[in-house]
Amino acid sequence: MSEKERKSKNLQSNLPFSRQCAHWVTRKKRFCKMTVGKNKEYCGEHEPAAGTSHGGEGQIADEGERICCPLDNKHTIYKKNLRKHLIICNARPKREMPPYIVKNFNAGEACDDKHCEILPELRLTNLSNEDFFGVVEKVRDIYTKCIGNNISFLALNHESLEQELTKQEYGKESRKHLSQTSALLGILSAEQLIGDSVCFVEFGAGKGQLAYYLATLLEKKENSQVILVDRMSLRHKKDNKIKDRSLITRIRCDIADLDIEKLPSIRPDQHVVAISKHLCGAATDLTLRCVTQTKLKHVNFVLIALCCHHRCDWGSFVGKEFFQEHHLSPRDFLIITKMASWAICGTGMSRERRLAIQKQDIPPPEVSDNNQRLCLAERETVGFMCKRLLDYARLKFLQLHGYDEVSLKYYIPKNVTLENIVLLAKREKRFRFPCFIELNACKVQPKMSNPFDNQEQLITNTYDVLKRTSDSIQRSNIIAYESEQVGTEVLSELGEQRESLLRSTRRLQHADSDLSQSRKIIRKLNREVCYNKIILSSIIFFELIILIGLIVIKFIKF
């Protein structure tokens, strides 16, 4: 037993009513918060660890052995429930994928450099001074030449969130997200994009806060909607509060596998706008590749709030051509991504060390590590340049794929969040379906004396009918697929609720047995009290008789 687990055991022995699991979660630096059963120290998820640590086979004998899920070893299940779990497990392989999911469609090319395999092990502290300062000088030169001070500030907010931001119950983190959402909606409103016949596709939607407020603005618009794309299924989604479900479509899909042209939800007469609020690292590159690989359904406007540049990957990075033009190798790219974290890491001290310094009321040192080759201010400056260099390479990629107006803007003050840069890209031409426009143009042209005119018209009409039928079938497939996913999630949640109810039932049974024992003890005490009363009354009665007898005998003698 480790020291932390021993402390937990002692804590629980001192608090007999505590039902918290004794497993120490190293990553979160706290104990597991799950409730445990009677006479147990660990919850069901951590019972195998208890068995190996204490030999506690008796602890799980009543429930059965727990094993790792064969589909995903991140969670465990009871062995007796294996067959049932394999049917509802979220990690089970999908039988039929919808047509818009194509494996690694936007993943990019794999790194063909022989040194790419060992690059993830590279550390900045292991670099020689020549390599270290060489990359720093390259970043400074390219930043000065290409970017400079050309990033302006957009002081835009949307009036729909003004009242929401005045509420005092929101904390600092919630207020930050609301401020970002208001600024992004302000940009969309300034570009006159919140109108009729617009389809917004939010990549990495998460819980859907941005989509929720955007959908509320589209309630009075015609033929407009929001499509949310995220690879995870989260609880407490904000978009579930939208009453008009025709405004919202949520798709569970990895951006790397999304073919946006095959989305049946996008209608032919809609303009497509790609948006995202804090799309981390490589997900931004996957999104940019997704919106530029279209041939028919062109994305007219791109708005992405950028963040987490340290999580970029060379294989999916879209700015490779720009880097190669400036003689930056994959190794330089990895060094730049590592340096990018300097812009937001502050002093670089751990959370525990910062808390210790705050308790002692000691001002933090300007340089937290004597081994650093740059001071704190220089590291922040270089980190900012690295971030902008990666973003500028993405702008060049968009320019190569038909976006005429591309720019980086500050969209929110720095005191709200350090990740305050938004990427904007716009096409001047708003026509998204050139092939259909040509067909329509053929329809309005004056009739020629061609004997095949009627046949061409018939073929065109037949093609339109077939396309509408195909779109209808695709929509049916996606509805069926989403219904299956919803059903699976419902079954999974019902299974969890069933386990919770069973645990509650067991606790109630234990409480009921305790109450029964208490009732028996109380009845026994009542009987003993009655017996004591009878005995005491008898003693008093006999004492009175004896007293009366003594008085009578005394009077008789006298």
Side-chain angles (χ1 to χ4, degrees):
M1 183 189 299
S2 66
E3 183 180 355
K4 291 175 182 176
E5 291 178 345
R6 191 180 299 110
K7 289 181 180 179
S8 171
K9 185 175 180 181
N10 295 334
L11 178 63
Q12 289 191 351
S13 62
N14 295 330
L15 301 173
F17 297 100
S18 176
R19 294 293 184 88
Q20 184 176 342
C21 176
H23 177 77
W24 177 260
V25 185
T26 306
R27 183 174 64 85
K28 296 186 177 180
K29 300 180 180 179
R30 61 168 173 80
F31 291 101
C32 171
K33 295 184 178 180
M34 291 292 291
T35 304
V36 299
K38 186 177 181 181
N39 299 326
K40 290 188 178 182
E41 295 183 12
Y42 296 87
C43 65
E45 187 67 25
H46 299 123
E47 276 179 345
T52 56
S53 300
H54 309 287
E57 296 179 357
Q59 293 184 4
I60 57 175
D62 55 339
E63 297 290 348
E65 180 185 357
R66 289 189 73 90
I67 60 174
C68 292
C69 174
L71 301 176
D72 183 7
N73 58 5
K74 293 180 180 179
H75 63 275
T76 61
I77 56 173
Y78 287 114
K79 188 175 182 179
K80 62 181 182 181
N81 297 334
L82 176 61
R83 181 177 297 179
K84 176 183 175 182
H85 176 78
L86 292 177
I87 300 175
I88 62 174
C89 181
N90 289 333
R92 73 189 189 283
K94 302 296 185 296
R95 296 178 182 177
E96 294 183 3
M97 304 301 292
Y100 59 80
I101 296 182
V102 182
K103 191 65 176 177
N104 294 329
F105 184 73
N106 305 311
E109 299 177 357
C111 181
D112 54 358
D113 196 323
K114 296 180 180 179
H115 303 287
C116 284
E117 297 180 357
I118 62 174
L119 283 181
E121 301 177 1
L122 186 144
R123 293 176 177 271
L124 294 180
T125 54
N126 297 334
L127 293 177
S128 64
N129 288 336
E130 182 180 358
D131 292 341
F132 180 86
F133 289 106
V135 174
V136 171
E137 288 302 320
K138 287 182 181 179
V139 169
R140 285 174 173 167
D141 292 341
I142 299 174
Y143 179 85
T144 304
K145 179 181 177 182
C146 301
I147 306 171
N149 297 321
N150 296 327
I151 304 177
S152 58
F153 184 78
L154 294 175
L156 297 174
N157 290 289
H158 201 276
E159 57 184 7
S160 61
L161 275 85
E162 290 180 357
Q163 184 176 359
E164 197 77 11
L165 286 168
T166 59
K167 295 182 179 180
Q168 299 298 323
E169 59 264 25
Y170 288 123
K172 181 179 179 181
E173 194 70 17
S174 299
R175 194 175 299 277
K176 179 188 77 171
H177 290 296
L178 287 173
S179 300
Q180 293 171 339
T181 301
S182 176
L184 296 177
L185 291 179
I187 296 173
L188 294 176
S189 179
E191 294 288 340
Q192 299 180 353
L193 293 170
I194 304 178
D196 299 333
S197 299
V198 182
C199 178
F200 295 92
V201 182
E202 184 181 2
F203 293 87
K207 293 187 177 181
Q209 185 191 64
L210 176 60
Y212 168 77
Y213 290 107
L214 181 56
T216 56
L217 298 176
L218 297 177
E219 289 179 350
K220 298 181 180 180
K221 308 298 180 181
E222 295 182 0
N223 193 29
S224 294
Q225 62 174 333
V226 183
I227 299 176
L228 296 86
V229 179
D230 200 283
R231 64 179 180 180
M232 298 179 65
S233 178
L234 302 173
R235 297 181 181 180
H236 312 297
K237 294 184 281 287
K238 189 80 171 177
D239 52 285
N240 286 338
K241 298 181 179 180
I242 298 295
K243 295 181 180 179
D244 188 358
R245 303 309 299 173
S246 63
L247 294 172
I248 291 287
T249 303
R250 180 175 279 271
I251 294 174
R252 187 177 178 182
C253 171
D254 195 319
I255 302 174
D257 306 329
L258 177 62
D259 185 356
I260 197 173
E261 281 196 321
K262 296 181 180 178
L263 279 177
S265 304
I266 301 178
R267 305 182 189 101
D269 56 343
Q270 289 180 328
H271 300 299
V272 183
V273 178
I275 60 175
S276 180
K277 174 175 164 287
H278 281 211
L279 199 59
C280 292
T284 300
D285 299 300
L286 297 175
T287 300
L288 296 180
R289 189 174 281 108
C290 177
V291 301
T292 55
Q293 289 194 129
T294 58
K295 296 180 180 178
L296 299 178
K297 299 180 181 180
H298 292 307
V299 179
N300 299 314
F301 192 87
V302 178
L303 180 149
I304 298 176
L306 304 161
C307 75
C308 303
H309 297 75
H310 60 281
R311 300 185 64 180
C312 292
D313 177 70
W314 177 256
S316 59
F317 185 54
V318 295
K320 294 178 183 177
E321 293 185 12
F322 177 81
F323 269 53
Q324 291 169 357
E325 288 176 3
H326 292 82
H327 309 290
L328 293 171
S329 64
R331 184 172 182 270
D332 296 333
F333 169 83
L334 181 63
I335 295 173
I336 290 173
T337 58
K338 291 181 178 294
M339 289 180 175
S341 63
W342 290 346
I344 57 173
C345 67
T347 60
M349 291 186 294
S350 64
R351 178 173 53 188
E352 291 76 13
R353 189 174 178 186
R354 291 199 305 269
L355 291 175
I357 290 176
Q358 289 176 2
K359 290 180 180 179
Q360 298 174 4
D361 295 330
I362 301 174
E366 293 186 359
V367 180
S368 61
D369 191 349
N370 295 328
N371 295 326
Q372 294 288 351
R373 285 172 275 200
L374 296 174
C375 67
L376 179 59
E378 290 176 333
R379 290 202 304 274
E380 289 183 354
T381 302
V382 173
F384 175 82
M385 291 181 177
C386 290
K387 281 177 171 286
R388 301 295 77 81
L389 183 60
L390 296 169
D391 297 336
Y392 189 78
R394 291 164 172 167
L395 292 186
K396 288 297 182 182
F397 172 80
L398 290 173
Q399 284 182 335
L400 292 174
H401 287 81
Y403 287 89
D404 307 287
E405 299 180 18
V406 294
S407 60
L408 297 173
K409 301 289 185 183
Y410 296 105
Y411 74 102
I412 204 164
K414 191 176 181 180
N415 60 352
V416 177
T417 176
L418 295 175
E419 299 283 14
N420 59 343
I421 294 288
V422 63
L423 183 150
L424 302 175
K426 180 169 60 174
R427 294 179 187 268
E428 289 185 357
K429 297 180 179 180
R430 293 298 181 94
F431 302 107
R432 301 182 306 106
F433 299 99
C435 64
F436 294 111
I437 292 170
E438 290 176 3
L439 290 174
N440 291 331
C442 292
K443 292 180 185 178
V444 299
Q445 285 178 358
K447 294 184 178 180
M448 305 295 293
S449 59
N450 192 331
F452 298 102
D453 279 347
N454 293 333
Q455 186 175 0
E456 289 179 358
Q457 183 68 26
L458 179 62
I459 292 173
T460 302
N461 295 335
T462 305
Y463 173 78
D464 292 339
V465 172
L466 289 175
K467 187 180 184 307
R468 287 195 297 270
T469 305
S470 177
D471 291 342
S472 177
I473 293 173
Q474 288 182 356
R475 284 194 294 270
S476 302
N477 288 337
I478 183 57
I479 291 172
Y481 177 74
E482 291 175 352
S483 301
E484 181 186 2
Q485 286 185 330
V486 171
T488 300
E489 294 173 3
V490 170
L491 286 175
S492 177
E493 291 182 0
L494 288 175
E496 294 176 0
Q497 293 175 5
R498 179 178 178 275
E499 293 292 336
S500 177
L501 289 173
L502 289 175
R503 289 195 298 269
S504 301
T505 303
R506 287 194 293 268
R507 288 196 294 270
L508 288 174
Q509 290 174 351
H510 294 323
D512 186 52
S513 62
D514 294 339
L515 289 174
S516 299
Q517 293 178 358
S518 301
R519 282 195 294 269
K520 290 179 181 178
I521 293 171
I522 290 172
R523 285 197 294 267
K524 185 177 180 181
L525 291 173
N526 287 333
R527 287 195 297 268
E528 291 180 355
V529 169
C530 291
Y531 293 154
N532 291 335
K533 286 181 179 180
I534 293 172
I535 293 171
L536 184 60
S537 300
S538 301
I539 292 171
I540 293 172
F541 178 73
F542 284 120
E543 286 181 350
L544 289 173
I545 292 175
I546 292 170
L547 183 60
I548 293 171
L550 292 173
I551 293 172
V552 171
I553 292 171
K554 186 176 180 180
F555 278 106
I556 292 173
K557 286 182 179 182
F558 292 101

